[in-house]
Each structure stands twice: as C-alpha cells, then as structure tokens.
Amino acid sequence: MNFKSLAMVSTGLILTSLSACSLGVNPVSGVTEINRDIITPDGVKLGTLNLKTLKDGVTEVTVDVKNISPGTHAMHFHETGLCEGPDFKSAGGHYNPKQKDHGMEMPNGPHAGDMMNIEVGEDRIATLTIQNTRLSIDSQNGLPPLLDEDGSALILHEKADDYVSQPSGAAGARIGCALITR
C-alpha cells in the first residue's frame, strides 16, 4: 500500500471514529463497524448501537441506552431500514431471511434478528454486548446481511421478549430505533 492510500485509509478511520453515525470498512484488517444513534419516535436520542464484524463474520452487537424505563426490554433487528414515528412500524417485521419461528426457545427458531433482552437498572442506564452468529453486517462468510438493499433497523421494545410468542415475543410497543443503512 502506498503512502497516499495509507493516508486515505487513516483519515477514513479517524472520521469514522469521530462520527456518532458512521459506517467504516478497514481494508487492512477487514473489520466492518457501524455506529448509530438509537432514537425515540420523537427523535430524542436514547443511546447508541455499535455493530462490529468479528472473526468468521460473527456480528458483535453493543447497545448502550440512557433515560429508558427500568426493567427488561426486547431488542430485535427488523427487516427495513426506516425509523419513522410515531410507532416505527416502517421498520417492518423481524429480520428473518431464513423463515424461522420467532424465539430463542422455539425448535424452528430463532429469527436471525432475535436477540437477548437488555436489563435496565433503576438508574435508567444499560449496556449490553452480545454476539449474533445468525447474521452479518455485509454478507461476511455467507451470513444474511443487515446492509441489504433496503437496510435494516434495530428496534428496542417496551417489554421483555418471552422468547416463544409468535411473531415477536409479546415485546410490546417499539420505543427506540437505530437505522442500519449505507
């Protein structure tokens, strides 16, 4: 790699790390990373979503929220990259390219977009980092991509996912949304 290319890569990585809503591909390491704001239907920032490609295309998901009601909240990747209020229904259903049943506890499940619940303390703050092995950011290792033609969205729900109810775990209203688009 020549100096000009290295300077462009370095500049891109610096800009990516400074932006709250960024998409970065490091051609040297092959790591893909996305950082997005999680917003309420009124456009108020609830927190951040960070996605990072790990070895073998596995996606590390970190959700960091503040000023959210204490308790257990479901979070899922949804099929369309739209976060339109008042209810975020524009994001469509759960991301489910392999036509599985909803829920971690279902024999024919889960959806690719199903994830663990996040626990919010009395201080109204929570951070959760998990690995989703059923999807990728951008088709790594043949896994279904979040960055497809119409993108996707992370949706935060008002209630916990019970991991069995169809089609969405009885998780209640959609209270937060993060766009996952190019």
Side-chain angles (χ1 to χ4, degrees):
M1 180 180 292
N2 64 35
F3 177 77
K4 183 176 179 182
S5 297
L6 184 59
M8 290 173 59
V9 169
S10 297
T11 302
L13 291 174
I14 290 168
L15 292 175
T16 296
S17 67
L18 293 175
S19 174
C21 296
S22 62
L23 170 70
V25 178
N26 178 340
V28 176
S29 69
V31 173
T32 303
E33 190 166 353
I34 297 176
N35 295 290
R36 297 289 191 262
D37 289 338
I38 302 169
I39 60 165
T40 67
D42 298 327
V44 175
K45 183 177 174 180
L46 279 176
T48 57
L49 165 68
N50 176 270
L51 303 174
K52 184 189 252 183
T53 300
L54 301 177
K55 192 176 192 177
D56 299 329
V58 169
T59 302
E60 181 180 80
V61 180
T62 300
V63 173
D64 183 15
V65 292
K66 295 178 179 157
N67 298 319
I68 188 168
S69 62
T72 306
H73 298 271
M75 55 182 194
H76 307 108
F77 288 112
H78 284 245
E79 63 191 351
T80 306
L82 292 172
C83 287
E84 298 171 349
D87 55 15
F88 299 133
K89 296 286 184 187
S90 58
H94 290 184
Y95 185 59
N96 187 20
K98 295 188 176 185
Q99 305 305 305
K100 298 281 191 171
D101 290 335
H102 169 77
M104 305 282 190
E105 297 177 10
M106 295 301 293
N108 187 39
H111 297 152
D114 290 350
M115 289 189 288
M116 305 262 315
N117 292 321
I118 186 168
E119 298 289 334
V120 179
E122 291 300 318
D123 60 359
R124 303 171 61 91
I125 297 171
T127 299
L128 178 65
T129 299
I130 61 169
Q131 293 180 4
N132 187 322
T133 60
R134 297 176 306 280
L135 54 76
S136 65
I137 294 173
D138 202 11
S139 295
Q140 288 87 356
N141 284 351
L143 293 169
L146 291 171
L147 288 175
D148 58 12
E149 281 182 16
D150 59 358
S152 58
L154 174 89
I155 298 290
L156 192 62
H157 293 268
E158 71 174 332
K159 299 177 188 175
D161 185 333
D162 66 12
Y163 301 131
V164 293
S165 296
Q166 302 302 311
S168 60
R174 301 172 184 198
I175 61 170
C177 186
L179 284 176
I180 304 167
T181 57
R182 291 189 192 278

